[in-house]
Amino acid sequence: MTADTELSDKIIGAVTAAPGLRPAAPIAREHVGWWPFDPRRYAVGLSAALVEVRVVATGLPLAPLLDGLAAAIRPLLAGTRWESAELRLVVAELDAEALTPGGDPDHSIGA
């Protein structure tokens, strides 16, 4: 496993654990078990100066959700070649769940 792949997997784990957010992958999320790789990795872009993470928001308000995700990702970059890279979180989509009372039942953000 390369450093890029390992870091991407850790970042995807952080996004998946974050309330009100999920990775924004351009490939359908359903039935991904037969893929030889995790298509959610497409949600993470790594370059020398930039770590970009694309997410779908399933909850609101966005600012605390993104702040929490940034706080979870920044330590993952420590000690890597991306330690001083800019961290950019991009909300690629706002899921309709975010606009319904109670939001995403699996990712409650509270009142």
Side-chain angles (χ1 to χ4, degrees), residues 11-25 29 40 43 53-73 87-99 102-110:
I11 291 172
I12 291 301
V15 175
T16 302
L21 300 169
R22 70 172 186 256
R29 296 179 319 154
R40 297 175 303 170
V53 183
R54 293 168 295 284
V55 298
V56 175
T58 60
L60 293 172
L62 289 176
L65 297 177
L66 297 174
D67 289 346
L69 180 57
I73 292 174
L87 175 59
R88 181 181 300 158
L89 303 177
V90 177
V91 179
E93 183 180 339
L94 180 62
D95 194 297
E97 292 177 63
L99 303 174
D104 179 354
D106 294 328
H107 293 94
S108 175
I109 60 170

